[in-house]
Amino acid sequence: MCTNIVYEWLKTLQLPQYAESFVDNGYDDLEVCKQIGDPDLDAIGVAVPHHRRRIHEAVRRLKEADETAAG
């Protein structure tokens, strides 16, 4: 299993089972993860609707944290 920031992020979302798929599809950094949309989740293999919602919500929080940090 990969141990990196994306794995840790997914672990906090209680979705660590997707970590390998995320990395295999090029989502190995949170900056890249901020760009995730529905087609990306399809490619990664996230099919469960509430898992998709959880990831979308977490991506929104990542973007908000960036905006807050930027001022």
Side-chain angles (χ1 to χ4, degrees):
M1 178 53 66
C2 53
T3 53
N4 67 17
I5 191 72
V6 173
Y7 172 74
E8 295 300 323
W9 178 64
L10 288 167
K11 203 163 81 170
T12 65
L13 301 177
Q14 299 178 330
L15 299 170
Q17 67 269 34
Y18 296 114
E20 195 170 337
S21 293
F22 266 66
V23 172
D24 288 349
N25 283 280
Y27 298 94
D28 56 356
D29 180 283
L30 290 182
E31 285 301 313
V32 180
C33 288
K34 288 181 202 168
Q35 310 306 315
I36 287 176
D38 282 320
D40 305 301
L41 294 180
D42 292 339
I44 292 166
V46 182
V48 181
H50 67 273
H51 289 181
R52 293 172 76 97
R53 278 194 301 274
R54 206 180 299 167
I55 291 168
H56 280 306
E57 179 64 22
V59 167
R60 186 184 62 74
R61 287 194 307 267
L62 285 174
K63 289 178 181 177
E64 283 179 356
D66 262 11
E67 290 168 9
T68 302

